[in-house]
Amino acid sequence: MSVDLQDLSRRLFKTANQLWTNTTLRPHQYSQPVLALIALRQMEAKFNDVHAALSKTFTGRLRATAPDYHAKGAMFLPEEARFSFLLALPEAEDLGRALNTAMELVAEHNPDLRGILPQGYGALPDRVLRELLRLLQPLEITGDAYGLIFEYFMDAFASAFMEKGGEYFTPSSIVKLIVEVIEPYHGKIFDPACGSGGMFVHSAEFVRRHHMSPSREISVYGTEKMPDTRKLCSLNLAVHGLSGDIREANSYYEDPHDLVGKFDYVMANPPFNQSEVDRSLLSQQTGVVDARFSLGIPSINNANYLWIGLFTAALNETGRAGFVMANSASDAGGSEREMRRKLIESGVVDCIITTSPNMFLTVTLPVTLWFLDKGKRTTAREDEVLFIDARTIFRQVTRAHRDFAPDQIELLANIVRLWRGNEIETVAGSASRLAELFGDDCYKDIPGLCCVAKRSDILAQDWSLNPGRYVGVAQGEHSDDEEFKLRLEALQEELEGLNAEASRIQAVIAQNVAEVLA
């Protein structure tokens, strides 16, 4: 059963209220004890499933060991480390001490979680801990719910301490669409801004859905600069039965995975329009730009194209990449235009998809999904780029939040499959809409939805990768409407960037004033 967002929000509000009122935890620390408890609950659910299966093999005096559980994608949990054991402890028991012991036992029997799980539950009142267990006990979690919970805590309770912009969590429907387009069946997957690891979790689900074992088919590599977020990613992987090489590093300045030409797939949601990158650290002592930044270094104070160059460099000769990018990057001028031209002329740009606004919980802006495919250079599609305008395709979840329904994800991925000449998938219910649009199952341009452009067409549009400039307008709309939308989106993106900067400056001023008055 998928997560009910409203139910989840209500439970987390209750949990946060407990922490806010009854402990000394700061808002940005809320997530740590709660996520570990949710993880424990999820680990037990998986443990119970695997235990039941192993019990049929290990009979009599034979006992399954921790590696037997690991081989089945489960954490091994001694009785004292199980959520149900902790929940059933009598009121007189020291629950904080019991939780610390539980976390130590989990780490002791599961090496992937050593140094990851929090301690310090003893500092929290037992009454609050019992209420936390009670609130979290009935929560149903599937997919990358950890990322969702993390985003919720960070956004709703810690906005004064964190920058916004989708830096830490990518909505699951966006991730699923990226996965469906790059199709990571087998190989090495890399996310240089991996956050809570949602890209890895959904890649594993894609592999399972195609009746293969993620542990045998894919290996995951991530980089995350925030220590707590890296731990969250490791926890997320462990709970989903995955292991990976997740390093704590700043991808601008460090290369712990020796990334150039190494990966079959790159997936990422990097921070948008980030400024103040120290360019002096992006080149070698000889002045040569590091090979990781394959498109060079932009002359403006914006890191979008540093990320795009890094993603391109990390791919091997047949690798595919899918990543989230600010809309403004599609039309950016100056040095960024030249970097985009270089990328397009290389023949690796595969597909560009524009989404509607309100797909992210923390920003209202529409975003653009970029897809690269180095293997495309040896095919008839080398000179072509597929543009899809998905701004009218969404499911309204709440008044201020949208996502893609499963059939909509499948529909968009099938448009790409038709263009590639691959077999379509219809298990999610896209068949009727696909037939309505494309009829004979062959790809064709559809005004207002999709268009294939050649490099000469893109040159004529000054190397723009904005789908709106190629797809045109649907029947009944006017081109002036499209120009207005593009301009309005650009203004909104600029406004959101200014608001984010204002929030950052406000926090700095508040901190400085507090230090002066201390």
Side-chain angles (χ1 to χ4, degrees), residues 180 183 185 206 209-210 409-436 438-443:
E180 290 296 319
E183 299 182 317
Y185 286 103
F206 174 87
R209 189 161 56 79
H210 289 85
I409 294 171
E410 188 177 79
L411 172 67
L412 293 169
N414 276 336
I415 294 174
V416 180
R417 293 186 183 109
L418 286 176
W419 175 59
R420 289 172 176 165
N422 295 340
E423 187 175 349
I424 62 170
E425 298 186 3
T426 57
V427 293
S430 68
S432 59
R433 182 59 176 155
L434 199 65
E436 179 184 340
F438 294 92
D440 58 3
D441 290 339
C442 293
Y443 174 83

Side-chain angles (χ1 to χ4, degrees), residues 60-93:
R61 293 186 176 182
L62 290 176
R63 292 287 183 273
T65 63
D68 296 317
Y69 288 84
H70 299 160
K72 298 290 185 182
M75 297 291 110
F76 178 76
L77 299 179
E79 183 178 2
E80 296 86 349
R82 297 173 195 169
F83 188 98
S84 57
F85 173 86
L86 296 163
L87 188 66
L89 283 176
E91 293 284 334
E93 286 286 337

Side-chain angles (χ1 to χ4, degrees), residues 246-352:
I246 310 300
R247 306 287 183 91
E248 183 182 319
N250 185 323
S251 288
Y252 293 127
Y253 312 123
E254 301 166 272
D255 184 16
H257 295 295
D258 191 21
L259 64 85
V260 175
K262 183 174 181 179
F263 296 99
D264 299 285
Y265 306 97
V266 173
M267 307 166 71
N269 173 24
F272 293 170
N273 303 318
Q274 197 161 48
S275 59
E276 309 306 331
V277 175
D278 188 342
R279 300 181 196 185
S280 67
L281 300 178
L282 307 182
S283 301
Q284 301 170 358
Q285 291 184 343
T286 57
V288 176
V289 176
D290 192 300
R292 292 180 297 131
F293 304 105
S294 60
L295 300 177
I297 300 175
S299 59
I300 67 166
N301 192 11
N302 187 309
N304 286 343
Y305 275 82
L306 288 176
W307 285 109
I308 297 172
L310 188 148
F311 302 149
T312 309
L315 295 174
N316 60 27
E317 287 303 301
T318 58
R320 287 179 174 176
F323 52 90
V324 185
M325 188 50 58
N327 264 12
S328 58
S330 303
D331 280 318
S335 61
E336 292 180 312
R337 173 188 172 281
E338 288 306 302
M339 296 168 81
R340 190 169 60 250
R341 176 190 61 76
K342 182 179 178 181
L343 183 70
I344 295 167
E345 288 186 333
S346 73
V348 305
V349 180
D350 189 36
C351 176
I352 306 289

Side-chain angles (χ1 to χ4, degrees), residues 154-171:
M154 292 301 102
D155 185 54
F157 304 114
S159 59
F161 298 87
M162 305 291 292
E163 293 183 10
K164 293 187 175 184
E167 183 173 352
Y168 297 96
F169 175 68
T170 311

Side-chain angles (χ1 to χ4, degrees), residues 192-212:
C194 65
S196 61
M199 300 287 185
F200 304 136
V201 170
H202 286 290
S203 293
E205 288 183 356
F206 174 87
V207 172
R208 287 192 193 96
R209 189 161 56 79
H210 289 85
H211 310 296
M212 296 182 289

